[in-house]
Amino acid sequence: MNTLKVTGELLQWYKKHARSLPWRKAYDPYKVWISEVMLQQTTMKVVLPYFERFISTFPTVQALAQADESLVLKTWAGLGYYSRAKNLHRASKELQHHFPQSHGELLEIPGFGPYTARAVSSIAFNEPVGVVDGNVIRVLSRLYDSDWEWWRTHERNIIQTLADELAVTSKNPRDLNQSLMELGATVCTPTSPICSECPIQKFCLAKKNQTVSTRPLKKNKQLKSMWLWEPQILIKKKKLYLEKQPKVPFLKGQALPPGLIRRISKKPSQFDFRHSITTHEIFVRKKDPKCPSLYLSESKIQNWIPLEKIEHVNPSSLIKKLLLSQKGTRK
Ligand code: SF4
């Protein structure tokens, strides 16, 4: 395959079709970084309002570094994966003094994995390295009509090498990487690719071999684990009792109402509501708040949080649902 021609077509197409996005205006590394971390959570449409809100609250990496963690978590609320927000905050304390330009140096910063480091170094600083996300895997698997088991390290490395080659060949890695991601997001989509509008259709081996619908290979979906959680909602004088629960496998490090948690193999017959967090399917069965609490080791005053400040301590939607269901119970 003539990679020079492929990258040429991609770059021309990108010039015309790139969506106007807030972090594409000046390629400020801080904004590129925040957008990349957010985009790992969810779709562009969902990310845009969160991005605007985050940047207006923390306009610079210094502002983020100096903010309270509770405000960072509150501003992140709704995006899930709170550990990522905590990592962003931790990393900002190093980046506020010096923002490295190469992916090798960025990898040294806590919270920067191989994907984020490459995305930031290539998009913000034009470093000639490839960026491999789900969109790029799809486009390259189809372009080369390859049955890569892309979730395996060895084959992932092959894809990375190809993406690196394309980035180097293009002489414009920033736009080349973004063109591949953009093509995957808007034209070479998972279920209905619009091959007639694709700038690289004449090179696409999957199109030629009529294997588009089978590329890339599908990874078996990770099964969710099921949990029965029996929190006790202790409310006194408009304050809710929350404490860290080291045995709870979700929302790690966050304060929660005390209660038993156990893994289960089938859906329980009785529960108040169900909630999913990443790969955890949680069946919530509230414990009667009047029962003497079996789980409170000692009631510390700092663990009684005023209801209007819960969001600052734990902004997750699980807590919101718990409190809403509590209102329902009281009626
Ligand atoms: Fe994807 Fe179709 Fe373009 Fe091939 S021709 S890269 S399948 S949109």
Side-chain angles (χ1 to χ4, degrees), residues 138 140 160 302 310 325:
R138 185 165 57 256
L140 294 185
Q160 182 65 60
Q302 68 270 23
I310 298 293
S325 73

Side-chain angles (χ1 to χ4, degrees), residues 127-194:
E127 192 187 17
V129 289
V131 179
V132 176
D133 69 353
N135 285 324
V136 175
I137 289 172
R138 185 165 57 256
V139 172
L140 294 185
S141 296
R142 288 173 176 172
L143 178 63
Y144 290 93
D145 191 18
S146 177
D147 56 358
W148 291 313
E149 293 186 345
W150 48 269
W151 53 93
R152 299 191 191 283
T153 311
H154 172 68
E155 310 206 8
R156 190 69 173 232
N157 289 342
I158 296 175
I159 303 174
Q160 182 65 60
T161 306
L162 272 174
D164 286 345
E165 273 170 28
L166 292 173
V168 171
T169 309
S170 74
K171 302 208 167 59
N172 186 345
R174 167 185 290 147
D175 284 1
L176 191 274
N177 282 320
Q178 292 192 100
S179 74
L180 283 169
M181 293 194 260
E182 195 86 347
L183 190 71
T186 60
V187 175
C188 191
T189 55
T191 48
S192 2
I194 318 164

Side-chain angles (χ1 to χ4, degrees), residues 207-231:
K207 181 170 183 279
K208 184 175 161 212
N209 300 336
Q210 299 187 335
T211 53
V212 172
S213 61
T214 62
R215 302 284 179 256
L217 292 191
K218 284 193 178 58
K219 185 185 173 191
N220 287 338
K221 278 211 166 144
Q222 198 180 355
L223 289 176
K224 289 198 171 196
S225 58
M226 288 200 285
W227 300 83
L228 177 63
W229 184 41
E230 298 179 294

Side-chain angles (χ1 to χ4, degrees), residues 61-282:
V61 67
Q62 288 79 14
L64 179 60
Q66 283 148 30
D68 272 353
E69 188 182 79
S70 62
L71 180 60
V72 178
L73 292 178
K74 192 180 163 206
T75 315
W76 189 264
L79 279 169
Y81 291 95
Y82 291 93
S83 57
R84 288 198 177 149
K86 288 183 177 185
N87 282 338
L88 272 183
H89 190 219
R90 210 170 302 138
S92 68
K93 291 182 192 295
E94 293 198 26
L95 294 170
Q96 66 175 326
H97 306 298
H98 167 62
F99 209 118
Q101 300 197 3
S102 74
H103 78 283
E105 286 172 284
L106 284 167
L107 268 174
E108 310 268 304
I109 310 280
F112 272 79
Y115 171 81
T116 314
R118 284 167 176 268
V120 173
S121 74
S122 82
I123 297 172
F125 301 110
N126 216 8
E127 192 187 17
V129 289
V131 179
V132 176
D133 69 353
N135 285 324
V136 175
I137 289 172
R138 185 165 57 256
V139 172
L140 294 185
S141 296
R142 288 173 176 172
L143 178 63
Y144 290 93
D145 191 18
S146 177
D147 56 358
W148 291 313
E149 293 186 345
W150 48 269
W151 53 93
R152 299 191 191 283
T153 311
H154 172 68
E155 310 206 8
R156 190 69 173 232
N157 289 342
I158 296 175
I159 303 174
Q160 182 65 60
T161 306
L162 272 174
D164 286 345
E165 273 170 28
L166 292 173
V168 171
T169 309
S170 74
K171 302 208 167 59
N172 186 345
R174 167 185 290 147
D175 284 1
L176 191 274
N177 282 320
Q178 292 192 100
S179 74
L180 283 169
M181 293 194 260
E182 195 86 347
L183 190 71
T186 60
V187 175
C188 191
T189 55
T191 48
S192 2
I194 318 164
C195 299
S196 57
E197 291 180 17
C198 177
I200 51 172
Q201 54 180 291
K202 58 177 180 268
F203 307 103
C204 180
L205 295 178
K207 181 170 183 279
K208 184 175 161 212
N209 300 336
Q210 299 187 335
T211 53
V212 172
S213 61
T214 62
R215 302 284 179 256
L217 292 191
K218 284 193 178 58
K219 185 185 173 191
N220 287 338
K221 278 211 166 144
Q222 198 180 355
L223 289 176
K224 289 198 171 196
S225 58
M226 288 200 285
W227 300 83
L228 177 63
W229 184 41
E230 298 179 294
Q232 197 164 18
I233 316 297
L234 301 165
I235 299 182
K236 254 201 285 189
K237 295 182 185 162
K238 297 194 176 163
K239 290 180 179 172
L240 173 69
Y241 189 86
L242 296 179
E243 66 178 6
K244 297 245 166 98
Q245 308 283 325
K247 290 192 180 150
V248 173
F250 44 84
L251 296 176
K252 282 199 170 146
Q254 299 231 37
L256 293 165
L260 279 183
I261 177 102
R262 66 191 152 93
R263 192 157 177 177
I264 50 175
S265 53
K266 58 178 190 180
K267 182 179 157 188
S269 53
Q270 283 186 323
F271 59 94
D272 293 299
F273 65 88
R274 164 203 300 222
H275 186 81
S276 279
I277 299 179
T278 60
T279 58
H280 303 97
E281 171 118 57
I282 306 150

Side-chain angles (χ1 to χ4, degrees), residues 38-39 41-52 78-79:
M38 286 186 173
L39 286 166
Q41 321 270 124
T42 180
T43 59
M44 179 75 75
K45 200 172 155 205
V46 175
V47 158
L48 282 170
Y50 282 101
F51 177 84
E52 300 286 5
L79 279 169

